[in-house]
Amino acid sequence: MDESYAIRRYEQAAALLPLRWQQQARQLPPRQMARAEELRLRAGQPMTVLLPEGEITPGQGGQSPTVTQTDLEQLCDAVTDYSRYAAGETLSRGYLTARGGFRVGVCGTAVLREGVNTNLRDISSVTVRIGREQGLGDEVLAQLFRDGQFCSTVLLSPPGLGKTTLLRDLIRGLSDGVGGLPEHRVSVVDERGEIAVMYQGVPQMAVGRHTDVLDACPKAVGIPILLRAANPQVIAVDEITVREDLRAISQAAGCGVALLATIHAANVEELQAKPLYQELLAGRVFRQAVLIRTGPEGRLYAVENLP
């Protein structure tokens, strides 16, 4: 990934913060700006920046003032253009979407009605995730074709190793037909708003010219909708976690649609050991996996056939 681009995305994310925290964020050395993954503000604590090796505090000697709840409220107001009510649906799920493709995670006190969270009050922490379009999928995508056809693929890694970033890159590559590959109609169920990062109906991240996005919709609900409405060749989803997701994915596979998804698992052996996914493997819904690991040179990607 181009370092100047990575730094620019960091600076754009920092610009979402209240002014004094923008100034604090800019004290980070450029080399670390390029590697930063999140800006984290917690009430009563200094602001930190998440790097691959952990959180650090920007500033001279690691010294920093503490974040106030007013800072957090101002940040949320600015991200929503001072219309937090209009963003109530996503805020109740713990996040906001900012212009430019940034997802802002929010923690606070849940406001429950009949057992359902309807809002968050007394904001206690905010996380600005620094989304980047890395182009990494171009190196992997060609390996996911067999006899000219894209094969259903699952991306595997523990949390925090970039599954969603790689997923987004692969969606873009399939949709645009990078490297001479055929263009595909790709439909995305973006349940948590992390893939396309929709803002007023427009994807803030590059997901390709032939991609349709169903935003903020549960996968089990969204996949049948896309099958009926979008005539997809590929359906992409993030983080399969419940049995209802598996049923919907199996339905799509039965309709002849290729699938692209992510699952939390360090390797194929761990995937096989989880009861939830044994049914998925038994049904041969996915034919191959991309394993994401870290090494001295950064992220490593390996394609393996599934049993």
Side-chain angles (χ1 to χ4, degrees):
M1 177 172 45
D2 179 69
E3 186 175 83
S4 62
Y5 163 75
I7 293 172
R8 186 167 65 253
R9 289 294 289 172
Y10 175 89
E11 292 172 338
Q12 290 169 347
L16 298 172
L17 306 178
L19 183 58
R20 69 170 177 151
W21 297 110
Q22 292 183 34
Q23 296 168 345
Q24 186 80 17
R26 293 190 184 109
Q27 295 183 34
L28 204 66
R31 182 179 61 84
Q32 290 182 327
M33 289 183 182
R35 300 170 60 244
E37 298 176 354
E38 296 174 350
L39 300 164
R40 304 185 70 99
L41 284 76
R42 302 177 176 96
Q45 300 293 330
M47 182 183 76
T48 63
V49 178
L50 178 63
L51 302 177
E53 59 269 25
E55 293 183 39
I56 64 169
T57 301
Q60 183 67 32
Q63 298 301 311
S64 173
T66 57
V67 175
T68 67
Q69 193 175 67
T70 299
D71 292 326
L72 302 177
E73 297 286 347
Q74 288 178 350
L75 195 162
C76 292
D77 285 338
V79 166
T80 59
D81 292 329
Y82 295 88
S83 182
R84 231 188 290 179
Y85 175 79
E89 184 176 347
T90 62
L91 183 58
S92 69
R93 300 181 183 183
Y95 70 92
L96 298 168
T97 299
R99 188 190 304 272
F102 298 99
R103 189 172 186 267
V104 180
V106 183
C107 287
T109 301
V111 179
L112 298 178
R113 292 181 182 173
E114 297 180 356
V116 177
N117 187 39
T118 61
N119 204 347
L120 290 174
R121 61 177 177 83
D122 300 332
I123 305 302
S124 59
S125 67
V126 173
T127 300
V128 180
R129 182 168 293 182
I130 306 170
R132 296 184 173 103
E133 299 158 355
Q134 299 186 359
L136 297 174
D138 297 353
E139 303 175 9
V140 177
L141 187 56
Q143 302 176 55
L144 306 182
F145 280 73
R146 299 290 183 272
D147 299 323
Q149 300 291 319
F150 174 74
C151 293
S152 292
T153 301
V154 61
L155 314 182
L156 304 179
S157 85
L161 290 190
K163 287 189 298 297
T164 302
T165 300
L166 179 59
L167 175 68
R168 184 189 303 120
D169 260 0
L170 294 173
I171 291 168
R172 174 190 56 80
L174 283 166
S175 179
D176 288 344
V178 299
L181 295 170
E183 298 173 348
H184 290 73
R185 295 184 305 278
V186 183
S187 291
V188 179
V189 184
D190 201 357
E191 182 170 359
R192 300 183 306 160
E194 288 190 281
I195 303 172
V197 192
M198 303 294 284
Y199 184 85
Q200 297 181 353
V202 179
Q204 300 296 291
M205 307 299 282
V207 291
R209 299 187 305 274
H210 306 290
T211 299
D212 302 296
V213 180
L214 187 59
D215 191 42
C217 182
K219 290 180 278 292
V221 176
I223 289 173
I225 291 174
L226 291 174
L227 287 171
R228 292 191 298 268
N231 187 26
Q233 294 170 294
V234 180
I235 289 179
V237 300
D238 202 7
E239 295 192 12
I240 302 171
T241 56
V242 296
R243 190 163 300 281
E244 289 78 10
D245 296 346
L246 301 184
R247 294 193 188 102
I249 285 170
S250 297
Q251 177 188 1
C255 294
V257 177
L259 297 153
L260 181 61
T262 69
I263 291 176
H264 287 318
N267 48 48
V268 174
E269 290 72 22
E270 182 178 327
L271 187 70
Q272 291 174 306
K274 295 184 176 183
L276 180 63
Y277 304 121
Q278 290 173 0
E279 176 183 335
L280 196 67
L281 293 172
R284 301 281 289 166
V285 172
F286 293 102
R287 309 307 299 270
Q288 55 199 353
V290 178
L291 277 59
I292 307 174
R293 302 186 179 95
T294 56
E297 303 301 320
R299 303 280 196 269
L300 301 174
Y301 304 95
V303 179
E304 292 188 9
N305 291 327
L306 290 173

